[in-house]
């Protein structure tokens, strides 16, 4: 329980310190909005790296050179743990918004940081609201902001890392309508940090692999009809290589 309480105490302290930081960031945003975006990103990434350290995560990163630093992208990954967000967001080279469930709006201060960082809140029970979220993400990508989405729609809970839920095809409209490349992410071992034995946080090894960029316009016509199925197959093959 020591790691759990250490993370909890850090989060409480970070949120308390965030109150005056929000004011400083607000002033900076009035005069230098681009600088505010980068400073907010780095502040949150620092906090996530501290959480990773407190959790004792031994992280192996593969293929990070596949992530473009000069253009926005759509990150697509498998999802089994809250730590998937912690580990991947800490490594984003440019402003990036995550698509999260709308329930996250109820968490004070955290939701404020998420809004500053262009995160979008998805109502999974409202199809029309979901489409509006996708359209907002398309506009964000066109403005230079990367987007991360876990298109299973929820965390996978199967015993096998390969037991993924089908990817929602609607998520891929972000790439098809904006023209941005897709960066597939394969994450192995993240649920062993926390979800497999809540509320304990265990020191575990996690592998995070970034695949080569995928341009939907370069796929075959059949693949373009169901890009989610194709990208999921790419991620599945990456996950299989982690267990060899």
């Amino acid at each position: 329980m020591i790691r759990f309480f250490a993370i909890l105490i850090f989060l409480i302290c970070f949120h308390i310190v965030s109150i005056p930081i929000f004011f400083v960031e607000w002033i900076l945003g009035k005069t230098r909005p681009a600088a505010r975006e980068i400073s907010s990103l780095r502040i949150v990434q620092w906090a996530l790296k501290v959480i990773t350290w407190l959790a004792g995560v031994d992280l192996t990163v593969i293929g990070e050179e596949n992530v473009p630093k000069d253009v926005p992208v759509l990150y697509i990954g498998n999802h089994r743990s809250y730590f998937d967000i912690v580990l991947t967001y800490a490594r984003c080279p440019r402003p990036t918004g995550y698509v999260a469930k709308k329930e996250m709006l109820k968490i004070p201060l955290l939701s404020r940081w998420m809004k500053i960082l262009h995160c979008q809140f998805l109502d999974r029970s409202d199809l029309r609201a979901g489409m509006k979220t996708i359209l907002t993400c398309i506009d964000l990508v066109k403005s230079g902001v990367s987007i991360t989405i876990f298109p299973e729609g929820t965390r996978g809970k199967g015993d096998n890392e390969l037991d993924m839920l089908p990817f929602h095809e609607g998520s891929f409209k972000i790439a098809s309508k904006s023209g941005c490349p897709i960066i597939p992410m394969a994450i192995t071992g993240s649920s062993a940090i926390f979800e497999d034995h809540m509320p304990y946080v265990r020191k575990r090894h996690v592998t995070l692999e970034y695949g080569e960029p995928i341009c939907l316009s370069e796929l075959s016509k059949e693949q373009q009809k169901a890009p989610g199925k194709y990208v999921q197959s790419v991620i599945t093959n990456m996950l299989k290589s982690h267990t060899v």
Side-chain angles (χ1 to χ4, degrees):
M1 291 292 286
I2 294 177
R3 294 185 189 278
F4 175 82
F5 283 115
I7 292 171
L8 182 61
I9 292 170
F10 171 76
L11 285 172
I12 292 171
C13 292
F14 177 74
H15 281 86
I16 292 172
V17 174
S18 290
I19 297 173
I21 291 178
F22 283 139
F23 180 68
V24 174
E25 291 291 283
W26 178 77
I27 294 175
L28 181 61
K30 291 294 184 181
T31 56
R32 300 174 60 194
R36 196 281 299 270
E37 284 204 351
I38 295 299
S39 65
S40 295
L41 174 65
R42 300 308 178 212
I43 289 169
V44 171
Q45 287 182 321
W46 171 82
L48 296 178
K49 288 175 182 177
V50 172
I51 292 171
T52 300
W53 178 77
L54 291 172
V57 177
D58 175 20
L59 181 63
T60 296
V61 181
I62 303 170
E64 198 161 22
E65 68 278 4
N66 290 322
V67 181
K69 296 180 174 59
D70 55 344
V71 295
V73 303
L74 173 64
Y75 295 98
I76 295 288
N78 62 309
H79 189 31
R80 292 176 60 85
S81 172
Y82 293 118
F83 274 88
D84 297 334
I85 300 160
V86 174
L87 298 173
T88 58
Y89 198 81
R91 311 191 74 83
C92 294
R94 56 184 296 119
T96 303
Y98 275 51
V99 177
K101 57 186 179 181
K102 70 171 185 176
E103 287 78 7
M104 298 298 290
L105 283 167
K106 299 177 182 179
I107 305 176
L109 297 180
L110 174 60
S111 61
R112 177 60 182 165
W113 275 117
M114 293 177 74
K115 288 178 181 179
I116 290 174
L117 296 170
H118 304 292
C119 291
Q120 301 300 307
F121 301 91
L122 181 65
D123 184 348
R124 292 175 290 187
S125 64
D126 188 333
L127 188 62
R128 182 176 295 180
M131 182 53 65
K132 185 177 180 181
T133 299
I134 295 298
L135 292 174
T136 300
C137 289
I138 293 170
D139 289 338
L140 283 170
V141 172
K142 289 180 177 179
S143 72
V145 178
S146 293
I147 294 292
T148 299
I149 191 166
F150 298 105
E152 292 173 87
T154 186
R155 287 182 293 113
K157 298 176 175 64
D159 294 332
N160 193 315
E161 299 276 1
L162 301 178
D163 291 338
M164 287 182 281
L165 298 169
F167 282 9
H168 293 292
E169 294 290 345
S171 307
F172 294 84
K173 291 186 181 296
I174 299 171
S176 63
K177 297 299 184 182
S178 69
C180 75
I182 295 171
I183 301 297
M185 301 187 299
I187 308 165
T188 304
S190 57
S191 64
I193 303 170
F194 182 59
E195 280 77 8
D196 290 351
H197 37 68
M198 293 188 291
Y200 299 98
V201 176
R202 304 293 193 195
K203 182 178 181 179
R204 291 291 187 267
H205 176 261
V206 176
T207 300
L208 166 59
E209 181 174 3
Y210 297 95
E212 294 183 1
I214 298 171
C215 294
L216 294 185
S217 61
E218 297 177 1
L219 300 181
S220 68
K221 289 184 178 180
E222 284 300 313
Q223 291 169 339
Q224 289 183 37
K225 290 179 181 178
K229 184 177 181 180
Y230 172 73
V231 175
Q232 187 165 28
S233 70
V234 172
I235 292 174
T236 296
N237 289 332
M238 292 161 66
L239 292 171
K240 288 179 179 177
S241 71
H242 297 175
T243 59
V244 174

